[in-house]
């Protein structure tokens, strides 16, 4: 009985500590009823999503998952069943695998730009960022390679397009954090990008004063924001003249800064933190005030997921929301009500069955030997900013997942495509972060929800023990990692996964009807 007593004591202490931390985090704008505010804040901070979205109803031509929603069971990995992939109401039209697709890729019109991952991209046939012409979706073909310093250094999560100005930007991120290099391209001819800034940001002797891990645009395309992970340093790069990028604001926003989303008017940034996000008033930068100041105006934090990735601003019947994605801890995707910028509220959650607390033991059991990530959401795209009808997400080892979000309070899955695993092909996937990271076999990003499940008595060690349990190093890439945001093209999706590279997917069985004003949006 003593171990159980210790667990109960540990859980009590954890809850007390969390309450104290949460009390210190209550925004300065809290109301006079501080006790009520703290109680509400603690409840939201500790709340965990315990239900999954309803499964897709798979139609003809599907090859459904064999276990829990989102899972690739240990038996499927070890028998190589996972090399056939899994699909439901979605098929692959064509693709270009290359040597892998880095972390995040992007696209514009009928072209795609495959992210680079250092140092493997230096020894690939297509060094740097590969440009693909997807005019024929069955046979995407390479047309150019971008080899400026930022592109060769690895673009991590920084490679983004602004359609309004027809600009492509990426920064150099060799190992998690980069410094100084940013290149801007004119993609009017999307298959043949033209470098616009041969000087500052591209010339090795003319670095910009930025740190970077991730980046993205304000909607008008005049500002590119670069964020470094630790510390939370953010830089605003003015691209009014894309030939002469210059930093017009910098600030330390917290202990960590990840991805973000920016409001349609360019006045608010929803900057991801360790678990949650901070709302920043960036209107002074948007207006180009002479000495712009950026203010913290709101925040929300949680323990249900961590390493929060990015946010997509949308609205339903005029009411503003975010879809906010957690990269770690099986946090899934959260629907956030931002009617009050000073006090964002979690209004709903999107999780797969494999992400639920009662299944974290099975989650670890099947993902051992697959490296640091298990079944985590990463980047999503809505099909339009106003009254969106569908959300497509890269869900790392669970593949591409598509959800019907017409009613934000009744979300359900309509399709998925988990690409064929390239099991044991690690050494040929030079540009794949999955192949490189598979030196480590343990799903470390799942440690926090595993600890919670243990404290709650929901973790069965016997369900976590599988034939893969001993795979602590040198993983077998028995799934793929789908990091990139799937981007909408009618009833098709342009997607990129680390091992399988770029793919064009077709939604089948009439599960999706593209709205006339479809506009793929990732938030930055």
């Amino acid at each position: 009985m003593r171990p159980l007593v210790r667990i109960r004591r540990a859980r009590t202490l954890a809850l007390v500590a969390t309450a104290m931390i949460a009390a210190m985090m209550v925004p300065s704008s809290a109301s006079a009823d501080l006790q009520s505010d703290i109680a509400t804040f603690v409840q939201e901070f500790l709340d965990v999503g315990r239900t999954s979205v309803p499964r897709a109803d798979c139609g003809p031509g599907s090859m459904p998952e064999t276990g829990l929603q989102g899972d690739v069971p240990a038996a499927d990995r070890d028998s190589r069943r996972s090399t056939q992939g899994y699909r439901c109401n979605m098929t692959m039209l064509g693709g270009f695998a290359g040597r892998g697709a880095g972390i995040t890729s992007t696209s514009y019109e009928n072209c795609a730009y495959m992210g680079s991952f250092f140092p493997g991209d230096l020894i690939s046939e297509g060094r740097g960022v590969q440009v693909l012409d997807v005019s024929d979706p069955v046979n995407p073909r390479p047309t150019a390679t971008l080899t400026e310093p930022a592109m060769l250094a690895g673009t991590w999560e920084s490679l983004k397009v602004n359609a309004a100005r027809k600009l492509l930007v990426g920064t150099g991120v060799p190992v998690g954090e980069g410094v100084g290099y940013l290149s801007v391209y004119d993609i009017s001819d999307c298959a043949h990008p033209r470098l616009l800034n041969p000087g500052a940001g591209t010339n090795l002797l003319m670095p910009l004063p930025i740190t970077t891990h991730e980046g993205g645009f304000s909607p008008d395309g005049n500002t590119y924001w670069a964020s470094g992970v630790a510390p939370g340093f953010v830089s605003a790069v003015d691209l009014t003249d894309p030939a002469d990028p210059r930093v017009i604001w910098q600030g330390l926003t917290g202990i960590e800064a990840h991805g973000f989303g920016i409001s349609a008017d360019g006045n608010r940034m929803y900057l991801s933190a360790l678990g949650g996000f901070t709302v920043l008033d960036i209107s002074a930068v948007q207006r180009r005030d002479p000495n712009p100041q950026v203010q913290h105006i709101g925040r929300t934090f949680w323990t249900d997921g961590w390493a929060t990735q990015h946010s997509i601003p949308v609205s339903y019947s005029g009411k503003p929301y975010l879809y906010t994605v957690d990269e770690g801890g099986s946090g899934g995707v959260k629907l956030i009500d931002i009617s009050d910028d000073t006090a964002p509220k979690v209004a709903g959650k999107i999780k797969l069955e494999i992400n639920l607390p009662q299944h974290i033991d099975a989650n670890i059991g099947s993902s051992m030997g697959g490296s640091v990530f298990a079944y985590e959401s990463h980047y999503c795209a809505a099909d339009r900013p106003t009254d969106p009808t569908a959300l497509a997400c890269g869900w790392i080892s669970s593949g591409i997942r598509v959800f019907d979000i017409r009613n934000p309070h009744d979300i359900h899955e309509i399709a998925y495509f988990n690409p064929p695993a390239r099991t044991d092909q690690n050494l040929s996937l030079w540009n794949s972060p999955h192949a490189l990271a598979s030196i480590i076999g343990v799903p470390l990003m799942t440690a926090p929800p595993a600890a919670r499940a243990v404290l709650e008595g929901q973790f069965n060690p016997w369900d976590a023990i599988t034939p893969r349990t001993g795979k602590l190093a040198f993983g077998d890439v028995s799934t793929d990692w789908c990091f990139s945001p799937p981007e909408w093209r009618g009833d098709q999706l342009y997607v990129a996964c680390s091992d399988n590279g770029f793919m064009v997917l077709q939604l089948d069985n009439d599960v999706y009807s593209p709205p006339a004003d479809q506009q793929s949006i990732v938030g930055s």
Side-chain angles (χ1 to χ4, degrees), residues 32 67 92 113 133 138-139 162 172 206 212-214 228 244 326 430 435 452 514:
M92 177 176 165
Y113 310 97
D133 182 343
V138 176
N139 185 32
N162 182 266
M206 300 174 66
T212 178
H213 170 93
E214 185 149 356
D244 184 27
D326 281 322
W430 301 327
R452 183 197 296 270

Side-chain angles (χ1 to χ4, degrees), residues 323-378:
Y323 281 104
T324 299
V325 186
D326 281 322
E327 181 179 1
S330 278
V333 181
K334 295 172 177 64
L335 176 69
I336 314 290
D337 180 347
I338 51 169
S339 300
D340 179 358
D341 271 342
T342 67
K345 302 289 185 184
V346 177
K349 298 183 180 183
I350 302 174
K351 287 190 174 187
L352 307 179
E353 290 170 4
I354 195 62
N355 300 129
L356 301 182
Q358 63 268 34
H359 296 146
I360 294 299
D361 41 20
N363 179 313
I364 291 175
S366 65
S367 61
M368 282 295 293
S371 194
V372 293
F373 288 100
Y375 304 98
E376 319 291 352
S377 48
H378 193 259

Side-chain angles (χ1 to χ4, degrees), residues 277-415:
F277 63 85
T278 298
V279 185
L280 302 179
D281 180 350
I282 57 172
S283 57
V285 175
Q286 178 69 13
R287 292 191 303 266
R288 294 300 190 264
D289 288 356
N291 182 29
Q293 301 297 310
V294 171
Q295 305 294 332
H296 290 238
I297 59 175
R299 58 187 69 86
T300 186
F301 299 112
W302 50 72
T303 56
D304 186 14
W306 65 289
T308 302
Q309 182 62 59
H310 78 126
S311 293
I312 307 169
V314 299
S315 65
Y316 288 97
S317 301
K319 185 174 182 177
Y321 289 90
L322 302 174
Y323 281 104
T324 299
V325 186
D326 281 322
E327 181 179 1
S330 278
V333 181
K334 295 172 177 64
L335 176 69
I336 314 290
D337 180 347
I338 51 169
S339 300
D340 179 358
D341 271 342
T342 67
K345 302 289 185 184
V346 177
K349 298 183 180 183
I350 302 174
K351 287 190 174 187
L352 307 179
E353 290 170 4
I354 195 62
N355 300 129
L356 301 182
Q358 63 268 34
H359 296 146
I360 294 299
D361 41 20
N363 179 313
I364 291 175
S366 65
S367 61
M368 282 295 293
S371 194
V372 293
F373 288 100
Y375 304 98
E376 319 291 352
S377 48
H378 193 259
Y379 244 99
C380 300
D383 66 350
R384 63 182 180 186
T386 303
D387 297 319
T389 71
L391 184 75
C393 297
W395 214 279
I396 307 187
S397 287
S398 300
I400 306 301
R401 318 298 297 205
V402 183
F403 306 95
D404 183 327
I405 59 169
R406 288 174 293 181
N407 179 348
H409 304 295
D410 184 24
I411 294 172
H412 55 279
E413 190 169 42
I414 58 174

Side-chain angles (χ1 to χ4, degrees), residues 128-152:
V129 169
Q130 290 190 277
V131 181
L132 303 179
D133 182 343
V134 197
S135 299
D136 177 4
V138 176
N139 185 32
R141 59 184 183 87
T143 58
T145 306
L146 309 181
T147 58
E148 281 66 41
M151 306 296 106
L152 292 175

Side-chain angles (χ1 to χ4, degrees), residues 78 369 422-426 438 468 471 474-478:
D78 291 345
R422 301 186 67 180
T423 304
D424 293 331
Q425 297 182 41
N426 310 50
S438 287
R468 299 182 63 82
K471 295 180 181 293
F474 303 106
D476 56 5
V477 295
S478 54

